[in-house]
Amino acid sequence: MSSTRASTNPVIRTGIQVMAFGVAAAFVLLFAVDPHSVGANASQNFAPTVVAAAGGEQSLDVAAGASQSVTRDGYTVKDPPAPEPVVVPVAVKAEPSTGTSASAPAPAGGGCEANVVPTPGPPEAGSLQDIAYQAVMGYGWGEQNYYYLLALWNRESGWNPTASNPSGAYGIPQALPGSKMGPGWESDPNVQINWGLQYIAGVYGTPCEAWASSENRGWY
């Protein structure tokens, strides 16, 4: 013979069901509602409103009742480096130049007359040297300057009217270029001698100074 046990009291069972439903509902509400939103909505003074005027200075609007104290970070100022000292040049007295140039030749030590050249006497009449001798006398330079001229052009060309140099110098006075002597420069010794003496007179003053330049520099 079998027997059936009586079920739990209906009142207790109903209470347990209600409790379980309440717990489940609490969990649903806990995860469905943002807890932070409550705190945020609870105060309208949560943060001040910052408004920047376009193109102007920044401004700060603070809602009523909020703290109005504003602090700014500190800063430091670094001094710029000191400027470099300005060096003022000291004037130095220039010493007399010992150099030479074509436009201002320097005479030999003790004057151009200190240079010794052969003095063979007056040239043969009608010779190229005689033409030059007569011209030197016409300049008023004297016979000794003729001897300086004789030595100079002996060195430059051997008194050859067609003497040429790879540099382009030409003729008895070795004009550079030869064409500067003018019409007849290639073969006329008179043209060449006349130009040569004019050049010496204009640049050096005398054949003595021209020879001194040739002695010092190797050219005149």
Side-chain angles (χ1 to χ4, degrees):
M1 176 178 177
S2 62
S3 61
T4 303
R5 191 172 182 174
S7 62
T8 306
N9 190 319
V11 176
I12 296 175
R13 184 170 62 249
T14 301
I16 292 173
Q17 293 174 346
V18 171
M19 184 180 296
F21 178 79
V23 172
F27 273 101
V28 171
L29 292 175
L30 178 64
F31 290 101
V33 179
D34 182 6
H36 297 290
S37 64
V38 176
N41 293 330
S43 174
Q44 297 300 321
N45 300 325
F46 181 73
T49 301
V50 179
V51 179
E57 296 181 352
Q58 298 186 102
S59 62
L60 178 66
D61 292 339
V62 181
S67 174
Q68 298 186 20
S69 63
V70 178
T71 60
R72 182 184 297 277
D73 293 338
Y75 64 92
T76 58
V77 177
K78 185 177 181 180
D79 293 333
E84 293 292 332
V86 178
V87 179
V88 179
V90 179
V92 179
K93 183 179 180 180
E95 296 295 333
S97 174
T98 58
T100 58
S101 64
S103 60
C112 66
E113 293 83 2
N115 294 290
V116 178
V117 294
T119 56
E124 181 182 352
S127 64
L128 296 179
Q129 290 79 2
D130 184 52
I131 296 174
Y133 178 86
Q134 300 301 328
V136 168
M137 295 302 109
Y139 274 92
W141 288 334
E143 187 169 305
Q144 184 60 39
N145 269 290
Y146 162 72
Y147 295 131
Y148 285 119
L149 180 68
L150 180 66
L152 178 65
W153 285 354
N154 276 336
R155 171 181 289 174
E156 292 291 325
S157 64
W159 290 79
N160 186 344
T162 60
S164 61
N165 187 285
S167 66
Y170 188 85
I172 296 173
Q174 287 291 280
L176 181 64
S179 58
K180 70 167 59 176
M181 292 185 286
W185 65 272
E186 293 179 283
S187 57
D188 191 337
N190 292 281
V191 170
Q192 296 180 5
I193 291 171
N194 183 54
W195 180 90
L197 292 177
Q198 288 179 354
Y199 170 74
I200 289 172
V203 176
Y204 297 97
T206 65
C208 178
E209 296 291 357
W211 173 254
S213 174
S214 179
E215 285 283 88
N216 292 338
R217 299 181 293 174
W219 56 274
Y220 79 108

